[in-house]
Amino acid sequence: MIAVAVAVAAVSYQYFLGSYLLGIIVALGIVGGAIVVSANTIIVIFASSQDSGFVLYDILVGMGSEKQSAGLLDTLKMERVRTILTHTYPYPHEHSRHAIIAVAVGKTIKPSYSNFSRWYIVWILVAAVYHLPSFQSMGVDMRMNLSLFLTIYISSILFLLVFHIIFLGLWYIGLVSRVAGKRPEILTILQNCAVISVACCVFYSHCGNRAILRERSLNQRNSNWFSFWKKEERNTWLAKFLRMNELKDQVCSSWFAPVGSASDYPLLSKWVIYGELACNGSCPGSSDGISPIYSLWATFIGLYIANYVVERSTGWALSHPLSVKEYEKLKKKQMKPSFLDMVPWYSGTSADLFKTVFDLLVSVTVFVGRFDMRMMQAAMSRVNDRDQQGDLLYDHFTEKDDFWFDFMADTGDGGNSSYAIAKLLAQPSIRLREDDTVLTLPRGDLLLIGGDLAYPNPSAFTYERRLFVPFEYALQPPSWYTAEQIAVNKPEVPGGVALKQYNGPQCFVIPGNHALHGDIDVYQFKFFSELVKQKVQEDDSVIIITHEPNWILDWYWNSVSGKNVSHLICDYLRGRCKLRMAGDLHHYMRHSHVKSDGPVHVHHLLINGCGGAFLHPTHVFSKFKKVHGVSYECKAAYPSFEDSSRIALGNILKFRKKNWQFDFIGGIIYFVLVFSMFPQCKLNHILQDGSFSGQLRSFFGTVWNGFIYILEHSYVSLAGALLLLIAAYSFVPSKLSRKKRAIVGVLHVSAHLSAALILMLLLELGVETCIQHKLLANSGYHTLYQWYRSVESEHFPDPTGLRARIEQWTFGLYPACIKYLMAAFDVPEVMAVTRNNICKRGMESLSRGGAVIYYATVFLYFWVFSTPVVSLVFGSYLYICINWLHIHFDEAFSSLRIANYKAFTRFHIKSDGDLEVFTLAVDKVPKEWKLDADWEGEPKQPQQMSHLRRFPSKWRAATAYQDPIHTVKIVDRFVIGRTDKNDNVTSANEPVQ
């Protein structure tokens, strides 16, 4: 079915018109477009499927001289073009290749939510489009290919299932090799059946189902591609293109010709589907030629069976080496790490997150104030003989003249971010350029990790994949390392080797982060207070590391926590705490005290939770000024307050992109809110209003009436709205007063309810418009199946009754499966027909099953429409709250799943007692990694420790200049002088504001 359009225009319009028509061609999905530009003319030629064979469109716009135009038309020989391009054997059916091509280029079926969402939307759109005759008038009719695809798909699945059952039976009784006992993969069968169906439909789109081509001349049958170029046409530059259809016809009739007739294969005469006749004029008699579609299907099925039998019967697949292509593919897969992505905190499909929520609810509602794990640990570890108590003090670094150590916190989220920091920590040294000087910072002898090691919950899987794997890639464990003893025998050093003799990097982890009371308990307080009395001298300087930065969180929440820690700092250390550090907040901030006459309990407050988890904002904490009666000023913030505020904008633009799984919850919530509003039967006042402003008034008036209806009559929707209001109120942080929380909650729910009502009315208007224009509610249920059965016997003859026999053998399962699978594409029709019945006879006229079917069909489309809107509304809510009200700092940034802005802090205790502090950061974390050639090429000794290697990390960024080693920078640097009367403190940089 080829249609040719020729447009002639003046030279001044040729490029504009060419672009315009080409845009139309692309927009309509028309196959085979071409643009030919001459000196002052443009010719646009495109192919399109049409209902009545070949139609020729001649669009002649004479904008140039008659002589010039006539010359071109003489060259084209329009009558000859019409003869050449008009198909000699037109098909009475419509078929389009667009849907099949879309299926062919789609991604492989994978059990992921993104693929499910993609295929779900495609299904819904296809089900809607094939009902629209306006598309059919342009040659886009999906019915034949859609019904043919489903029929072949179901037939293939049934046939292969029967084959596998028979094959397994033969294996069970010992007639085939024992290696055949492995069960076939169901997903593989489904994928193979889909490929077979697509191939058959593509063939049908191009070649049809012709059996015998009658009344064809000998010259036409024997012509081929080389005969196109007759001597007198060799100089005609359009001849080759204009005769493409003849080539296509010859390819279909010669290369893919039918395998023969049933008389040639008597044994197959009752087991085949026949092809249709295609001839000039009437076709007397009936066809006995085997359908080329059937022969193609049988060939593919035969290849699958032969391949499967050979592999399973001989064990060839188990013993044969990989092919070069498969080997290269496997090697390429091993050339990059399999890091996990950032945790999707708003996933409605994650079992881990539901488990985390459940554990939190249990711990908060059941055990708060009643049970503390630390109490049980203390009770179990108490012994009468004090000499038998384990020594918790490690002083094996005391002999060093100077000492380097690192601090990081909140790792174990995304693999890319965690590995980026781990790689920097593992390097023997880091070279940095600051102004005109080059700094070399050696690797720390000690690493302190401030907690939060595995998100979203501490399972064996999350610890392995989110914590251990990135760190093992950065610095491989020693030869004596055993994964089973990682938490049993600590420190993990060779037998007979003391810590003082071990010169490798060491790591200490602060246990018990997020303690139930957010404070040290009485036993811990006793231990630390005695330690201060016995070990800490009057001129010593102390660094205290806790998990949570109580000083800034207490200010933010207007609460008091960590009383025991504060008591220890203020009343026992009495000014000797020079630095207090914590993680928990996934950003970097440093506050230094403002000199005053009063006592200073803590000189510097440092937060660094940039170890690998999602980013937290800094701008919501910009007004923190005082703790313990001492004033502080912000000396550094990373990211800066301005960048932090700008990043929050991503909630509006990127919330759904980052949180696709939130659709699962959001779509259901919106449907519950308007469940009782379907259907809206009286919408003519909106459609018939003459002015646009009047239509808008009527539209929003109907929305308001719907809201009143929910309050007065709709119990289901009202209950859903009340539950959502309670959840919204509870979701607002307690930082605000109850009145403000109520206002925020009501506004939040009102936005969602308004959006749901507007979407409901738009969907109902769309259905009503289609019904009024006779696009829906015309055929009833099973329209696609009924249409296919009406044309099936015409285009796929079955004179021997093969289909009837299969139906009998399968007890009706064969046509029933096809019928109800095709019904999945009649969703719009079912919705419209049922809606009409409800509007005419009332909801009471439907059975319970009919009501379920109606609401299910409505939900299928409403879910697709509502999911982008619910994400937009919720993302906008988070943005407003974080930037205007400074609340939801955790929720508004965990939604963005930002892997960038990662940092750790490196400390240097100098021989003179000064403490140098460097905070090193990476603005952008690489997303792609590849094997480091330096790591691979460095000679490896059998017992060589990985920390002694020059290149200890296995992976580097795919783009060299993006590697953390090259992009790391100093975002904060300061020095804490040795304790003296003047308490000198110098800083190398000003506050990052």
Side-chain angles (χ1 to χ4, degrees), residues 342-343 345 408-414 417-418 421 452 455 584-587 609-616 897-902:
M342 305 292 287
V343 174
W345 294 100
M408 67 172 297
D410 301 278
T411 185
D413 191 349
S417 54
S418 296
I421 294 299
D452 276 5
Y455 295 85
D584 189 55
L585 293 179
H586 308 161
H587 59 228
C610 302
F614 63 89
L615 183 68
H616 270 144
R897 301 166 65 188
I898 297 174
N900 298 324
Y901 300 100
K902 294 297 167 276

PDB file of all heavy atoms in Angstrom, residues 342-343 345 408-414 417-418 421 452 455 584-587 609-616 897-902:
ATOM      1  N   MET A 342      21.315   4.426  44.634  1.00  0.00           N
ATOM      2  CA  MET A 342      20.872   5.040  45.884  1.00  0.00           C
ATOM      3  C   MET A 342      19.529   4.447  46.311  1.00  0.00           C
ATOM      4  O   MET A 342      18.690   4.093  45.468  1.00  0.00           O
ATOM      5  CB  MET A 342      20.734   6.550  45.716  1.00  0.00           C
ATOM      6  CG  MET A 342      21.982   7.250  45.196  1.00  0.00           C
ATOM      7  SD  MET A 342      23.363   7.248  46.361  1.00  0.00           S
ATOM      8  CE  MET A 342      22.805   8.445  47.570  1.00  0.00           C
ATOM      9  N   VAL A 343      19.314   4.350  47.596  1.00  0.00           N
ATOM     10  CA  VAL A 343      18.086   3.729  48.120  1.00  0.00           C
ATOM     11  C   VAL A 343      16.868   4.563  47.718  1.00  0.00           C
ATOM     12  O   VAL A 343      16.847   5.779  47.929  1.00  0.00           O
ATOM     13  CB  VAL A 343      18.153   3.616  49.649  1.00  0.00           C
ATOM     14  CG1 VAL A 343      16.829   3.111  50.211  1.00  0.00           C
ATOM     15  CG2 VAL A 343      19.292   2.687  50.058  1.00  0.00           C
ATOM     16  N   TRP A 345      13.864   5.867  48.732  1.00  0.00           N
ATOM     17  CA  TRP A 345      13.147   6.013  49.991  1.00  0.00           C
ATOM     18  C   TRP A 345      11.641   6.165  49.809  1.00  0.00           C
ATOM     19  O   TRP A 345      10.882   5.924  50.750  1.00  0.00           O
ATOM     20  CB  TRP A 345      13.691   7.216  50.767  1.00  0.00           C
ATOM     21  CG  TRP A 345      15.101   7.015  51.211  1.00  0.00           C
ATOM     22  CD1 TRP A 345      16.227   7.501  50.642  1.00  0.00           C
ATOM     23  CD2 TRP A 345      15.545   6.217  52.330  1.00  0.00           C
ATOM     24  NE1 TRP A 345      17.344   7.075  51.317  1.00  0.00           N
ATOM     25  CE2 TRP A 345      16.960   6.286  52.366  1.00  0.00           C
ATOM     26  CE3 TRP A 345      14.892   5.456  53.299  1.00  0.00           C
ATOM     27  CZ2 TRP A 345      17.715   5.632  53.327  1.00  0.00           C
ATOM     28  CZ3 TRP A 345      15.647   4.807  54.261  1.00  0.00           C
ATOM     29  CH2 TRP A 345      17.037   4.896  54.269  1.00  0.00           C
ATOM     30  N   MET A 408      34.849   9.679  58.712  1.00  0.00           N
ATOM     31  CA  MET A 408      33.740   9.717  57.772  1.00  0.00           C
ATOM     32  C   MET A 408      32.518   9.131  58.461  1.00  0.00           C
ATOM     33  O   MET A 408      32.625   8.445  59.478  1.00  0.00           O
ATOM     34  CB  MET A 408      34.050   8.900  56.508  1.00  0.00           C
ATOM     35  CG  MET A 408      34.167   7.410  56.766  1.00  0.00           C
ATOM     36  SD  MET A 408      34.306   6.412  55.276  1.00  0.00           S
ATOM     37  CE  MET A 408      32.747   6.751  54.505  1.00  0.00           C
ATOM     38  N   ALA A 409      31.358   9.412  57.922  1.00  0.00           N
ATOM     39  CA  ALA A 409      30.125   8.888  58.510  1.00  0.00           C
ATOM     40  C   ALA A 409      29.065   8.772  57.433  1.00  0.00           C
ATOM     41  O   ALA A 409      29.146   9.401  56.371  1.00  0.00           O
ATOM     42  CB  ALA A 409      29.634   9.794  59.650  1.00  0.00           C
ATOM     43  N   ASP A 410      28.093   7.942  57.713  1.00  0.00           N
ATOM     44  CA  ASP A 410      26.910   7.801  56.862  1.00  0.00           C
ATOM     45  C   ASP A 410      27.269   7.321  55.459  1.00  0.00           C
ATOM     46  O   ASP A 410      26.969   7.950  54.455  1.00  0.00           O
ATOM     47  CB  ASP A 410      26.135   9.122  56.789  1.00  0.00           C
ATOM     48  CG  ASP A 410      25.696   9.590  58.157  1.00  0.00           C
ATOM     49  OD1 ASP A 410      24.686   9.103  58.639  1.00  0.00           O
ATOM     50  OD2 ASP A 410      26.410  10.418  58.739  1.00  0.00           O
ATOM     51  N   THR A 411      27.945   6.186  55.410  1.00  0.00           N
ATOM     52  CA  THR A 411      28.224   5.535  54.143  1.00  0.00           C
ATOM     53  C   THR A 411      27.224   4.384  53.978  1.00  0.00           C
ATOM     54  O   THR A 411      26.265   4.271  54.725  1.00  0.00           O
ATOM     55  CB  THR A 411      29.673   5.024  54.111  1.00  0.00           C
ATOM     56  OG1 THR A 411      29.958   4.497  52.827  1.00  0.00           O
ATOM     57  CG2 THR A 411      29.895   3.953  55.160  1.00  0.00           C
ATOM     58  N   GLY A 412      27.419   3.537  52.966  1.00  0.00           N
ATOM     59  CA  GLY A 412      26.554   2.372  52.809  1.00  0.00           C
ATOM     60  C   GLY A 412      25.230   2.659  52.156  1.00  0.00           C
ATOM     61  O   GLY A 412      24.242   1.976  52.436  1.00  0.00           O
ATOM     62  N   ASP A 413      25.173   3.679  51.299  1.00  0.00           N
ATOM     63  CA  ASP A 413      23.948   3.943  50.532  1.00  0.00           C
ATOM     64  C   ASP A 413      24.226   3.576  49.078  1.00  0.00           C
ATOM     65  O   ASP A 413      24.264   2.405  48.714  1.00  0.00           O
ATOM     66  CB  ASP A 413      23.549   5.404  50.683  1.00  0.00           C
ATOM     67  CG  ASP A 413      22.157   5.695  50.138  1.00  0.00           C
ATOM     68  OD1 ASP A 413      21.588   4.824  49.466  1.00  0.00           O
ATOM     69  OD2 ASP A 413      21.643   6.793  50.382  1.00  0.00           O
ATOM     70  N   GLY A 414      24.422   4.539  48.217  1.00  0.00           N
ATOM     71  CA  GLY A 414      24.736   4.246  46.823  1.00  0.00           C
ATOM     72  C   GLY A 414      26.161   3.753  46.656  1.00  0.00           C
ATOM     73  O   GLY A 414      27.090   4.239  47.301  1.00  0.00           O
ATOM     74  N   SER A 417      28.811   6.558  45.263  1.00  0.00           N
ATOM     75  CA  SER A 417      29.264   7.556  46.233  1.00  0.00           C
ATOM     76  C   SER A 417      30.122   6.929  47.321  1.00  0.00           C
ATOM     77  O   SER A 417      31.133   7.506  47.733  1.00  0.00           O
ATOM     78  CB  SER A 417      28.061   8.271  46.845  1.00  0.00           C
ATOM     79  OG  SER A 417      27.140   7.334  47.399  1.00  0.00           O
ATOM     80  N   SER A 418      29.726   5.751  47.793  1.00  0.00           N
ATOM     81  CA  SER A 418      30.513   5.099  48.846  1.00  0.00           C
ATOM     82  C   SER A 418      31.894   4.714  48.338  1.00  0.00           C
ATOM     83  O   SER A 418      32.902   4.870  49.042  1.00  0.00           O
ATOM     84  CB  SER A 418      29.777   3.852  49.356  1.00  0.00           C
ATOM     85  OG  SER A 418      28.550   4.200  49.964  1.00  0.00           O
ATOM     86  N   ILE A 421      34.382   7.806  48.024  1.00  0.00           N
ATOM     87  CA  ILE A 421      35.044   8.190  49.278  1.00  0.00           C
ATOM     88  C   ILE A 421      36.016   7.116  49.726  1.00  0.00           C
ATOM     89  O   ILE A 421      37.136   7.409  50.178  1.00  0.00           O
ATOM     90  CB  ILE A 421      33.982   8.465  50.359  1.00  0.00           C
ATOM     91  CG1 ILE A 421      33.157   9.697  49.989  1.00  0.00           C
ATOM     92  CG2 ILE A 421      34.643   8.670  51.711  1.00  0.00           C
ATOM     93  CD1 ILE A 421      33.958  10.960  49.862  1.00  0.00           C
ATOM     94  N   ASP A 452      25.766   4.602  60.667  1.00  0.00           N
ATOM     95  CA  ASP A 452      24.891   4.475  59.490  1.00  0.00           C
ATOM     96  C   ASP A 452      25.645   3.802  58.354  1.00  0.00           C
ATOM     97  O   ASP A 452      26.049   4.430  57.382  1.00  0.00           O
ATOM     98  CB  ASP A 452      24.365   5.838  59.047  1.00  0.00           C
ATOM     99  CG  ASP A 452      23.149   6.258  59.835  1.00  0.00           C
ATOM    100  OD1 ASP A 452      22.786   5.534  60.781  1.00  0.00           O
ATOM    101  OD2 ASP A 452      22.550   7.295  59.524  1.00  0.00           O
ATOM    102  N   TYR A 455      22.103   1.038  54.433  1.00  0.00           N
ATOM    103  CA  TYR A 455      20.743   1.534  54.236  1.00  0.00           C
ATOM    104  C   TYR A 455      19.968   0.525  53.391  1.00  0.00           C
ATOM    105  O   TYR A 455      20.543  -0.160  52.547  1.00  0.00           O
ATOM    106  CB  TYR A 455      20.783   2.889  53.500  1.00  0.00           C
ATOM    107  CG  TYR A 455      21.430   4.003  54.267  1.00  0.00           C
ATOM    108  CD1 TYR A 455      22.812   4.184  54.243  1.00  0.00           C
ATOM    109  CD2 TYR A 455      20.687   4.902  55.014  1.00  0.00           C
ATOM    110  CE1 TYR A 455      23.412   5.218  54.934  1.00  0.00           C
ATOM    111  CE2 TYR A 455      21.279   5.941  55.703  1.00  0.00           C
ATOM    112  CZ  TYR A 455      22.638   6.093  55.660  1.00  0.00           C
ATOM    113  OH  TYR A 455      23.228   7.136  56.352  1.00  0.00           O
ATOM    114  N   ASP A 584      25.401  11.799  60.877  1.00  0.00           N
ATOM    115  CA  ASP A 584      23.935  11.770  60.883  1.00  0.00           C
ATOM    116  C   ASP A 584      23.318  12.746  59.887  1.00  0.00           C
ATOM    117  O   ASP A 584      22.448  12.364  59.113  1.00  0.00           O
ATOM    118  CB  ASP A 584      23.381  12.011  62.284  1.00  0.00           C
ATOM    119  CG  ASP A 584      21.883  11.757  62.338  1.00  0.00           C
ATOM    120  OD1 ASP A 584      21.467  10.647  61.957  1.00  0.00           O
ATOM    121  OD2 ASP A 584      21.138  12.668  62.723  1.00  0.00           O
ATOM    122  N   LEU A 585      23.736  13.995  59.903  1.00  0.00           N
ATOM    123  CA  LEU A 585      23.310  14.945  58.878  1.00  0.00           C
ATOM    124  C   LEU A 585      24.288  14.845  57.710  1.00  0.00           C
ATOM    125  O   LEU A 585      25.497  15.014  57.886  1.00  0.00           O
ATOM    126  CB  LEU A 585      23.281  16.370  59.429  1.00  0.00           C
ATOM    127  CG  LEU A 585      22.235  16.648  60.508  1.00  0.00           C
ATOM    128  CD1 LEU A 585      22.331  18.092  60.975  1.00  0.00           C
ATOM    129  CD2 LEU A 585      20.832  16.344  60.004  1.00  0.00           C
ATOM    130  N   HIS A 586      23.761  14.598  56.520  1.00  0.00           N
ATOM    131  CA  HIS A 586      24.611  14.265  55.376  1.00  0.00           C
ATOM    132  C   HIS A 586      25.084  15.520  54.645  1.00  0.00           C
ATOM    133  O   HIS A 586      24.813  15.717  53.457  1.00  0.00           O
ATOM    134  CB  HIS A 586      23.856  13.336  54.414  1.00  0.00           C
ATOM    135  CG  HIS A 586      23.270  12.136  55.088  1.00  0.00           C
ATOM    136  ND1 HIS A 586      22.261  11.387  54.543  1.00  0.00           N
ATOM    137  CD2 HIS A 586      23.547  11.556  56.281  1.00  0.00           C
ATOM    138  CE1 HIS A 586      21.936  10.403  55.350  1.00  0.00           C
ATOM    139  NE2 HIS A 586      22.703  10.488  56.428  1.00  0.00           N
ATOM    140  N   HIS A 587      25.771  16.363  55.384  1.00  0.00           N
ATOM    141  CA  HIS A 587      26.408  17.529  54.807  1.00  0.00           C
ATOM    142  C   HIS A 587      27.619  17.863  55.672  1.00  0.00           C
ATOM    143  O   HIS A 587      27.911  17.153  56.635  1.00  0.00           O
ATOM    144  CB  HIS A 587      25.439  18.719  54.724  1.00  0.00           C
ATOM    145  CG  HIS A 587      24.885  19.149  56.052  1.00  0.00           C
ATOM    146  ND1 HIS A 587      23.562  19.371  56.277  1.00  0.00           N
ATOM    147  CD2 HIS A 587      25.483  19.384  57.256  1.00  0.00           C
ATOM    148  CE1 HIS A 587      23.360  19.725  57.526  1.00  0.00           C
ATOM    149  NE2 HIS A 587      24.525  19.744  58.128  1.00  0.00           N
ATOM    150  N   GLY A 609      28.633  14.231  57.539  1.00  0.00           N
ATOM    151  CA  GLY A 609      27.944  12.984  57.217  1.00  0.00           C
ATOM    152  C   GLY A 609      27.900  12.745  55.730  1.00  0.00           C
ATOM    153  O   GLY A 609      26.930  12.176  55.210  1.00  0.00           O
ATOM    154  N   CYS A 610      28.952  13.185  55.029  1.00  0.00           N
ATOM    155  CA  CYS A 610      28.995  13.093  53.559  1.00  0.00           C
ATOM    156  C   CYS A 610      29.712  11.839  53.091  1.00  0.00           C
ATOM    157  O   CYS A 610      30.354  11.826  52.042  1.00  0.00           O
ATOM    158  CB  CYS A 610      29.688  14.315  52.978  1.00  0.00           C
ATOM    159  SG  CYS A 610      28.944  15.894  53.415  1.00  0.00           S
ATOM    160  N   GLY A 611      29.623  10.758  53.834  1.00  0.00           N
ATOM    161  CA  GLY A 611      30.398   9.561  53.510  1.00  0.00           C
ATOM    162  C   GLY A 611      29.867   8.734  52.372  1.00  0.00           C
ATOM    163  O   GLY A 611      30.562   7.827  51.905  1.00  0.00           O
ATOM    164  N   GLY A 612      28.652   8.980  51.917  1.00  0.00           N
ATOM    165  CA  GLY A 612      28.130   8.180  50.814  1.00  0.00           C
ATOM    166  C   GLY A 612      26.625   8.162  50.707  1.00  0.00           C
ATOM    167  O   GLY A 612      26.072   7.725  49.698  1.00  0.00           O
ATOM    168  N   ALA A 613      25.935   8.632  51.739  1.00  0.00           N
ATOM    169  CA  ALA A 613      24.476   8.614  51.718  1.00  0.00           C
ATOM    170  C   ALA A 613      23.943   9.830  50.966  1.00  0.00           C
ATOM    171  O   ALA A 613      24.693  10.700  50.529  1.00  0.00           O
ATOM    172  CB  ALA A 613      23.930   8.583  53.143  1.00  0.00           C
ATOM    173  N   PHE A 614      22.614   9.876  50.821  1.00  0.00           N
ATOM    174  CA  PHE A 614      21.992  11.000  50.126  1.00  0.00           C
ATOM    175  C   PHE A 614      22.317  12.318  50.839  1.00  0.00           C
ATOM    176  O   PHE A 614      22.631  12.349  52.023  1.00  0.00           O
ATOM    177  CB  PHE A 614      20.476  10.806  50.056  1.00  0.00           C
ATOM    178  CG  PHE A 614      19.791  10.783  51.393  1.00  0.00           C
ATOM    179  CD1 PHE A 614      19.336  11.955  51.975  1.00  0.00           C
ATOM    180  CD2 PHE A 614      19.604   9.600  52.077  1.00  0.00           C
ATOM    181  CE1 PHE A 614      18.707  11.954  53.204  1.00  0.00           C
ATOM    182  CE2 PHE A 614      18.971   9.581  53.310  1.00  0.00           C
ATOM    183  CZ  PHE A 614      18.514  10.754  53.879  1.00  0.00           C
ATOM    184  N   LEU A 615      22.217  13.401  50.104  1.00  0.00           N
ATOM    185  CA  LEU A 615      22.601  14.712  50.621  1.00  0.00           C
ATOM    186  C   LEU A 615      21.514  15.297  51.518  1.00  0.00           C
ATOM    187  O   LEU A 615      20.324  15.087  51.287  1.00  0.00           O
ATOM    188  CB  LEU A 615      22.870  15.653  49.446  1.00  0.00           C
ATOM    189  CG  LEU A 615      23.355  17.058  49.781  1.00  0.00           C
ATOM    190  CD1 LEU A 615      24.760  17.016  50.380  1.00  0.00           C
ATOM    191  CD2 LEU A 615      23.336  17.935  48.535  1.00  0.00           C
ATOM    192  N   HIS A 616      21.949  16.042  52.541  1.00  0.00           N
ATOM    193  CA  HIS A 616      21.052  16.833  53.379  1.00  0.00           C
ATOM    194  C   HIS A 616      21.307  18.327  53.118  1.00  0.00           C
ATOM    195  O   HIS A 616      22.420  18.713  52.768  1.00  0.00           O
ATOM    196  CB  HIS A 616      21.289  16.543  54.865  1.00  0.00           C
ATOM    197  CG  HIS A 616      20.445  15.423  55.383  1.00  0.00           C
ATOM    198  ND1 HIS A 616      20.892  14.522  56.327  1.00  0.00           N
ATOM    199  CD2 HIS A 616      19.178  15.055  55.106  1.00  0.00           C
ATOM    200  CE1 HIS A 616      19.937  13.653  56.609  1.00  0.00           C
ATOM    201  NE2 HIS A 616      18.894  13.963  55.877  1.00  0.00           N
ATOM    202  N   ARG A 897      17.773  11.728  46.188  1.00  0.00           N
ATOM    203  CA  ARG A 897      18.755  10.636  46.053  1.00  0.00           C
ATOM    204  C   ARG A 897      20.049  11.144  45.402  1.00  0.00           C
ATOM    205  O   ARG A 897      20.547  10.577  44.443  1.00  0.00           O
ATOM    206  CB  ARG A 897      18.153   9.487  45.241  1.00  0.00           C
ATOM    207  CG  ARG A 897      16.897   8.916  45.849  1.00  0.00           C
ATOM    208  CD  ARG A 897      16.150   8.025  44.878  1.00  0.00           C
ATOM    209  NE  ARG A 897      16.920   6.836  44.541  1.00  0.00           N
ATOM    210  CZ  ARG A 897      16.564   5.968  43.600  1.00  0.00           C
ATOM    211  NH1 ARG A 897      15.477   6.178  42.895  1.00  0.00           N
ATOM    212  NH2 ARG A 897      17.300   4.917  43.346  1.00  0.00           N
ATOM    213  N   ILE A 898      20.581  12.229  45.974  1.00  0.00           N
ATOM    214  CA  ILE A 898      21.755  12.878  45.397  1.00  0.00           C
ATOM    215  C   ILE A 898      23.013  12.165  45.863  1.00  0.00           C
ATOM    216  O   ILE A 898      23.285  12.071  47.065  1.00  0.00           O
ATOM    217  CB  ILE A 898      21.791  14.361  45.792  1.00  0.00           C
ATOM    218  CG1 ILE A 898      20.566  15.077  45.216  1.00  0.00           C
ATOM    219  CG2 ILE A 898      23.070  15.022  45.293  1.00  0.00           C
ATOM    220  CD1 ILE A 898      20.436  16.509  45.665  1.00  0.00           C
ATOM    221  N   ALA A 899      23.789  11.671  44.907  1.00  0.00           N
ATOM    222  CA  ALA A 899      25.038  10.990  45.222  1.00  0.00           C
ATOM    223  C   ALA A 899      26.225  11.940  45.263  1.00  0.00           C
ATOM    224  O   ALA A 899      27.316  11.541  45.686  1.00  0.00           O
ATOM    225  CB  ALA A 899      25.301   9.880  44.202  1.00  0.00           C
ATOM    226  N   ASN A 900      26.049  13.166  44.818  1.00  0.00           N
ATOM    227  CA  ASN A 900      27.150  14.125  44.760  1.00  0.00           C
ATOM    228  C   ASN A 900      27.374  14.792  46.120  1.00  0.00           C
ATOM    229  O   ASN A 900      26.693  14.507  47.096  1.00  0.00           O
ATOM    230  CB  ASN A 900      26.863  15.184  43.691  1.00  0.00           C
ATOM    231  CG  ASN A 900      26.749  14.571  42.309  1.00  0.00           C
ATOM    232  OD1 ASN A 900      27.456  13.621  41.979  1.00  0.00           O
ATOM    233  ND2 ASN A 900      25.851  15.096  41.497  1.00  0.00           N
ATOM    234  N   TYR A 901      28.365  15.702  46.151  1.00  0.00           N
ATOM    235  CA  TYR A 901      28.733  16.445  47.362  1.00  0.00           C
ATOM    236  C   TYR A 901      29.125  15.485  48.496  1.00  0.00           C
ATOM    237  O   TYR A 901      28.507  15.461  49.550  1.00  0.00           O
ATOM    238  CB  TYR A 901      27.597  17.364  47.816  1.00  0.00           C
ATOM    239  CG  TYR A 901      27.197  18.393  46.806  1.00  0.00           C
ATOM    240  CD1 TYR A 901      26.079  18.203  45.998  1.00  0.00           C
ATOM    241  CD2 TYR A 901      27.929  19.571  46.652  1.00  0.00           C
ATOM    242  CE1 TYR A 901      25.702  19.149  45.057  1.00  0.00           C
ATOM    243  CE2 TYR A 901      27.569  20.520  45.708  1.00  0.00           C
ATOM    244  CZ  TYR A 901      26.454  20.301  44.913  1.00  0.00           C
ATOM    245  OH  TYR A 901      26.086  21.238  43.989  1.00  0.00           O
ATOM    246  N   LYS A 902      30.165  14.708  48.254  1.00  0.00           N
ATOM    247  CA  LYS A 902      30.642  13.744  49.242  1.00  0.00           C
ATOM    248  C   LYS A 902      31.989  14.199  49.791  1.00  0.00           C
ATOM    249  O   LYS A 902      32.798  14.816  49.084  1.00  0.00           O
ATOM    250  CB  LYS A 902      30.762  12.351  48.613  1.00  0.00           C
ATOM    251  CG  LYS A 902      29.411  11.796  48.223  1.00  0.00           C
ATOM    252  CD  LYS A 902      28.531  11.611  49.448  1.00  0.00           C
ATOM    253  CE  LYS A 902      27.086  11.367  49.103  1.00  0.00           C
ATOM    254  NZ  LYS A 902      26.341  12.603  48.861  1.00  0.00           N
TER     255      LYS A 902
END
